Amino acid sequence: MRLAKSKLTRQYCKDVTVSQSNYFRMAVLLFAGIQLAGCSGEAEPAAGGGGKPSPEAVPVQLETVRTADLDRTAEVVGTLYGDEEVVISAKVSGRVASIDADVGDRVPGGAVLAQIDPTDYQLEVSRQENALSEALAKLGLAELPPANFNISTISTVQRARAQAANAKAKFERAQKLFEQTPPLMSEQDYADMQTAYEVAVRDHEVAKLEAQSLLAAALSRKSELDAAKQRLADTRAVPPAVKEGRKFAVASRAVSTGEFVQTGTSLFRVVLDDVIKFRGALPERFASQVRPGQTVTLRIAGLDGPAVGTIARVSPSIDLATRTFQIEATFDNADQRLRPGAFARGTITVGQDKGVPIVPRHAVVSFAGLDKIYTAQDGEAVENVVTLGPVIEGGKWIAVPQGLKDTKEVIVEGLAKLARGVPIEVQPLTQPTTAPASRPAIEPDVQPGEANNE
């Protein structure tokens, strides 16, 4: 056992000695290589005087920055609505006898859209007319009297009044006979005459009360007759009355001829579309800038050209959930170009910015969400992060509200090789971009940030 351990110890020491010897040889070789490299570097002169070679200058072209007065706008999206939109429902139940208007028709207020079978309602009107005639006959009248009618003119009341007057005269004669000395009438006869007079007076009062009751019953019959006539009129489905010359457009129909409908069943939906309302929501940052009377320009898919209207209403409150406020703008639609229910994008002119820098659109470089424009300073490219405005003049120029203050020229060619601090060589401009008019036309369909180096 001791012999084995001794052999293992000698072998381990031998291996360590060999390993250390190998490491020593490698270190010597590495040091010799470094020394040789240093000697060769000293023997050869450094190219270009020993400094780093300068990068080649990038040829670029410059174009003058111009200015323009631009309208300051707010973008809004919303929906179109008719001036009035009404759902015509059945006011009475019954079978639909006829349909007199359909989708797309234009009808004035009060025109018949559908007719519910009126037979049962005509019979009810006749029954109420007879009931009224019966009540008037009990009063001896052919028609209802005016509100200031004197019931004393009714025949039953007149008869009771005459009877009371006759009984009074008899009583007065009997009283004279009874008061003579000696009395010319017995006490019993006198008492009978007095009672007859009092009864006649009470009959007169009762006659007046009965006449009042009959008159009230007649008025009640008249009300029931009016209600029956109204139900008969309600068998016609009609839109509400509107100003003369305006017409409703039938937007939808929900029933067919022969169908039985209940009270409240929807029959038609009509819309007054000669005036269109646009309703949309704006961020609260525009609350102090938007007010009634401002111009709104709408862009609608499928519509040739924009529609121009004015703001009519502005909500005084901010929605807590969306932090927006509602506006309503009106548009003349006599030619029916605009359709209720359509989605629209609107631009509201809220002010005007004076002297906004504008540059050729191809001078903008967009990368990683940033818009940049390069300018020249002391023979080097200067990078300017900018905020872009609307594209104008057919997309050739773009407004730059922020980032180019007091800048006279921008680089328009050679942009692909530029970065901050890159040397540049300015060359003459080969083809200047046509300058826009003093008040350029804004292209609203192109959004800021879409300009790229072309």
Side-chain angles (χ1 to χ4, degrees):
M1 180 64 70
R2 291 179 179 176
L3 180 60
K5 288 182 178 181
S6 177
K7 290 180 178 181
L8 288 174
T9 300
R10 286 195 300 271
Q11 182 64 35
Y12 173 76
C13 293
K14 182 179 179 181
D15 293 341
V16 169
T17 302
V18 172
S19 177
Q20 289 177 346
S21 176
N22 291 336
Y23 287 148
F24 179 77
R25 292 193 196 98
M26 291 176 62
V28 170
L29 291 175
L30 180 59
F31 179 77
I34 293 174
Q35 292 297 322
L36 290 174
C39 293
S40 63
E42 293 175 356
E44 297 180 3
K52 185 178 180 181
S54 300
E56 184 180 355
V58 177
V60 298
Q61 296 179 7
L62 302 179
E63 185 150 355
T64 303
V65 176
R66 297 176 173 87
T67 60
D69 297 339
L70 299 180
D71 290 334
R72 188 167 62 255
T73 61
E75 298 295 322
V76 59
V77 295
T79 305
L80 301 185
Y81 298 87
D83 189 28
E84 295 291 344
E85 186 170 326
V86 184
V87 175
I88 308 299
S89 301
K91 296 184 69 175
V92 296
S93 60
R95 183 179 59 84
V96 178
S98 65
I99 298 294
D100 300 298
D102 212 331
V103 176
D105 293 342
R106 296 190 174 275
V107 296
V112 178
L113 302 177
Q115 175 68 60
I116 296 175
D117 188 0
T119 303
D120 294 341
Y121 300 98
Q122 288 174 337
L123 293 174
E124 179 64 17
V125 169
S126 298
R127 189 179 73 83
Q128 294 299 335
E129 287 177 341
N130 293 333
L132 176 59
S133 298
E134 180 182 357
L136 292 174
K138 292 179 180 179
L139 292 170
L141 301 174
E143 59 184 13
L144 278 176
N148 58 352
F149 176 69
N150 185 4
I151 61 173
S152 297
T153 60
I154 295 176
S155 57
T156 55
V157 177
Q158 291 178 341
R159 185 187 65 176
R161 186 178 65 250
Q163 291 175 345
N166 184 44
K168 179 181 180 181
K170 288 181 179 180
F171 172 68
E172 289 176 349
R173 289 195 297 270
Q175 187 177 19
K176 291 179 180 179
L177 295 175
F178 182 72
E179 291 177 352
Q180 290 185 3
T181 304
L184 300 179
M185 178 178 288
S186 67
E187 184 176 352
Q188 182 62 45
D189 291 339
Y190 175 74
D192 291 342
M193 297 297 292
Q194 184 177 12
T195 301
Y197 169 61
E198 293 175 354
V199 170
V201 171
R202 298 296 180 270
D203 287 344
H204 182 217
E205 294 176 354
V206 170
K208 290 193 292 183
L209 292 175
E210 289 179 349
Q212 290 177 342
S213 176
L214 291 173
L215 183 58
L219 292 173
S220 177
R221 296 291 182 271
K222 178 62 169 59
S223 297
E224 292 174 358
L225 174 61
D226 291 341
K229 289 182 177 179
Q230 183 60 53
R231 287 192 291 272
L232 177 61
D234 289 342
T235 60
R236 299 176 301 167
V238 299
V242 292
K243 185 178 178 181
E244 185 177 357
R246 305 187 72 184
K247 290 186 177 182
F248 284 95
V250 180
S252 64
R253 174 168 70 92
V255 292
S256 300
T257 303
E259 184 177 348
F260 187 89
V261 296
Q262 298 287 351
T263 302
T265 301
S266 296
L267 306 179
F268 295 86
R269 183 171 61 87
V270 297
V271 59
L272 202 60
D273 62 350
D274 56 346
V275 174
I276 290 294
K277 297 177 180 178
F278 168 78
R279 298 190 183 117
L282 282 167
E284 63 178 325
R285 67 177 181 273
F286 294 110
S288 61
Q289 304 177 49
V290 176
R291 57 187 179 274
Q294 290 177 331
T295 300
V296 181
T297 303
L298 292 186
R299 304 181 299 279
I300 304 170
L303 184 68
D304 295 334
V308 180
T310 56
I311 295 178
R313 301 180 185 276
V314 178
S315 175
S317 62
I318 305 294
D319 186 274
L320 296 178
T322 62
R323 291 299 175 186
T324 60
F325 64 96
Q326 293 287 325
I327 66 159
E328 181 180 281
T330 57
F331 295 79
D332 180 62
N333 194 41
D335 55 358
Q336 282 83 47
R337 292 177 63 218
L338 307 179
R339 294 175 178 263
F343 173 81
R345 297 181 180 273
T347 302
I348 304 172
T349 303
V350 298
Q352 190 179 63
D353 294 324
K354 301 288 186 178
V356 178
I358 57 174
V359 300
R361 191 180 176 192
H362 57 271
V364 181
V365 177
S366 297
F367 180 74
L370 295 178
D371 298 312
K372 303 176 183 179
I373 294 177
Y374 287 96
T375 58
Q377 183 177 357
D378 299 331
E380 294 183 348
V382 178
E383 181 182 273
N384 302 272
V385 178
V386 298
T387 299
L388 300 181
V391 175
I392 58 179
E393 293 298 323
K396 295 181 180 180
W397 292 75
I398 189 168
V400 187
Q402 297 179 9
L404 286 184
K405 184 178 180 181
D406 300 329
T407 301
K408 302 300 182 182
E409 293 179 317
V410 295
I411 299 176
V412 294
E413 294 295 337
L415 297 171
K417 300 179 181 179
L418 294 185
R420 182 183 303 168
V422 171
I424 58 175
E425 179 183 348
V426 178
Q427 298 181 349
L429 185 62
T430 56
Q431 187 177 0
T433 306
T434 303
S438 59
R439 186 179 178 85
I442 296 176
E443 304 292 335
D445 290 333
V446 183
Q447 300 298 323
E450 294 181 354
N452 293 305
N453 187 26
E454 297 177 353

